């Protein structure tokens, strides 16, 4: 196979970049490059922009909506770039409205306040102490990671990366309910602990070190998160090419050729801003490096399912109490309200089901999936079944252009695959939440698009293909 040797990068502002994928990562990369004077063509497999950011309006009534994918934005201190683009495109944020000391645990069939004190008063102090001990032990490991852009350089990074998270949890010897809470949290945020690398969680803990809980998951975009990718797409000079799944990406000494189901486009560079599973059907010429091939074939993705239900009235709160959000030891794991700042008597609850429980739901047909979740909601909130108006589920593992919810690095993957995905490969770059420090977040997608655009704006040779 012929090699492509380093070629001088084109002078800034004179090249044509092809962006594969019109989610937040691809659109931000295109937007930033266009601002810098580059020609940009964005190609998208779906019939819409936004990728995993999609606002669900049907089958709900009264103008109410919920988020089928990416949902929460942290405080300005944490998710700086999401705040920046929301402002730049004239959009507004609204609080998720998680009031401190509101919400409940539903554990072992009992309801009690969503706090450590609630756990201690109801189940005893050992449960929350053991749950806290998990985080304390994790934070000790996180202190060894000082360069978030190169976590693979941390002391014992490779050793920690080989450790399966569930095995590390076992040696903590938590009491059973504390371990259930720990595993439910990890499952809801990422995946089952047996699928996760300990070092991946260390990286996440280091990233959020010193960030208080009240600064997390604070906002959504008023009117729906899908507005942001839609506005970015409208700002592009060239319309996004929709319904155009890519079938081949070819690099030559002179540029790149991208073949899709509607034709072919040539350019100087290509940014691949899609989740990795869909790339398994794309032909690369020349072949990608072994690490990149492994990442595409094996990178672990979560199995989150959202079951979104509209009810005739908001039985979960009154003037005295608010039982949402709810954390539970039932398979559905976590429940939040999508409509806290939307008008109307009706309201929408979103149940998050993930890990092994998400895979079980995903294997069901839509009606059974909804009924299974509704039965658990009925257990937590008696009378819920009689108030149901409409429901819809989102199973991202079934989406052929995603193949999972978001990346959750497995054992051995964080120190090998993550660095490989961040390096240019000839005239090809990768972007997406899986390539950023904010793995799994809309913030990570946005930052990765910025990063890819910045690399291309530097006038220097890109990596060779050997």
């Amino acid at each position: 196979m012929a090699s492509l040797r380093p070629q001088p990068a084109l002078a800034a502002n004179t090249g044509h970049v092809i962006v594969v994928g019109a989610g937040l990562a691809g659109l931000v990369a295109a937007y930033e490059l266009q601002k810098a004077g580059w020609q940009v063509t964005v190609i998208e497999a779906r019939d819409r922009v936004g990728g995993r950011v999609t606002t669900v309006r049907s089958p709900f009534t009264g103008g109410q909506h919920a988020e089928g994918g990416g949902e929460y934005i942290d405080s300005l201190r944490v998710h700086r770039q999401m705040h920046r683009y929301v402002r730049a495109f004239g959009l507004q944020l609204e609080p998720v409205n998680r009031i401190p000391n509101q919400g409940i645990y539903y554990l072992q069939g009992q309801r009690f306040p969503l706090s450590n004190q609630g756990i201690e008063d109801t189940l005893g102090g050992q449960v929350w102490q053991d749950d806290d001990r998990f985080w304390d032990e994790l934070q000790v490991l996180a202190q060894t990671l000082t360069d978030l852009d190169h976590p693979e350089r941390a002391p014992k990074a490779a050793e920690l990366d080989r450790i399966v998270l569930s095995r590390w949890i076992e040696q903590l010897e938590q009491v059973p309910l504390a371990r259930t809470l720990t595993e439910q949290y990890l499952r809801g945020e990422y995946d089952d602990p047996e699928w996760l690398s300990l070092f991946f969680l260390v990286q996440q803990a280091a990233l959020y070190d010193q960030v208080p809980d009240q600064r997390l998951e604070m906002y959504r975009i008023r009117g729906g998160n899908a507005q942001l990718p839609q506005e970015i797409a409208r700002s592009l000079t060239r319309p996004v090419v929709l319904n155009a799944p890519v079938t081949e990406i070819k690099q030559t000494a002179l540029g790149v050729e991208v073949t899709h189901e509607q034709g072919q486009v040539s350019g100087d560079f290509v940014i691949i801003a899609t989740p990795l599973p869909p790339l398994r059907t794309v032909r690369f010429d020349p072949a990608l490096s072994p690490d990149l091939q492994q990442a595409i074939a094996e990178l672990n993705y979560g199995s989150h399912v959202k079951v979104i239900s509209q009810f005739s009235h908001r039985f979960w709160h009154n003037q005295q109490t608010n039982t949402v959000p709810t954390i539970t030891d039932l398979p559905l794991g976590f429940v939040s309200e999508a409509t806290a700042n939307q008008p109307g008597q009706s309201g929408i609850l979103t149940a998050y089901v993930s890990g092994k429980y998400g895979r079980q739901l995903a294997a069901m047909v839509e009606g059974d999936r909804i009924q299974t979740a509704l039965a658990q909601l009925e257990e937590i909130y008696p009378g819920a079944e009689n108030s149901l108006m409409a429901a819809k589920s989102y199973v991202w593992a079934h989406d052929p252009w995603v193949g999972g919810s978001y990346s959750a690095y497995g054992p051995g993957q964080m120190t090998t695959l993550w660095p490989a995905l961040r390096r240019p490969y000839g005239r090809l770059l990768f972007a997406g939440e899986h390539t950023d420090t904010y793995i799994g977040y809309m913030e990570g997608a946005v930052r990765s698009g910025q990063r890819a655009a910045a690399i291309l704006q530097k006038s220097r040779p890109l990596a060779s293909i050997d």
Side-chain angles (χ1 to χ4, degrees), residues 387-450:
S387 304
L388 181 68
M389 297 171 62
K392 180 182 180 63
S393 70
Y394 256 83
V395 184
W396 288 103
H398 288 179
D399 187 322
W401 312 121
V402 179
S405 51
Y406 47 82
S407 57
Y409 281 71
Q413 295 183 342
M414 193 68 200
T415 55
T416 57
L417 305 187
W418 192 75
L421 288 164
R422 288 169 62 85
R423 290 191 294 267
Y425 186 71
R427 293 175 175 270
L428 185 156
L429 297 93
F430 286 87
E433 49 83 14
H434 51 285
T435 70
D436 189 69
T437 51
Y438 284 88
I439 297 167
Y441 291 92
M442 292 184 289
E443 175 76 4
V446 164
R447 284 165 45 100
S448 76
Q450 292 175 320

Side-chain angles (χ1 to χ4, degrees), residues 44 209 326 434:
E44 168 59 43
D209 184 32
T326 299
H434 51 285

Side-chain angles (χ1 to χ4, degrees), residues 276-295:
L276 297 186
L279 298 178
R280 295 168 189 166
T281 62
V282 176
R283 180 175 180 270
F284 289 88
D285 181 14
L288 297 175
S289 68
D291 281 346
L292 290 176
Q293 291 184 49
Q294 182 182 358

Side-chain angles (χ1 to χ4, degrees), residues 301-319:
Y301 277 74
S303 57
H304 297 73
V305 174
K306 283 187 172 183
V307 181
I308 307 168
S309 306
Q310 186 179 38
F311 298 92
S312 59
H313 64 284
R314 307 186 193 199
F315 50 78
W316 49 90
H317 67 73
N318 55 43
Q319 291 182 346

Side-chain angles (χ1 to χ4, degrees), residues 139-153:
Q139 200 57 50
V140 170
L141 296 176
Q143 297 303 316
T144 67
L145 203 166
T146 57
D147 185 353
L148 290 173
D149 288 327
H150 293 283
E152 71 278 7
R153 298 176 183 174

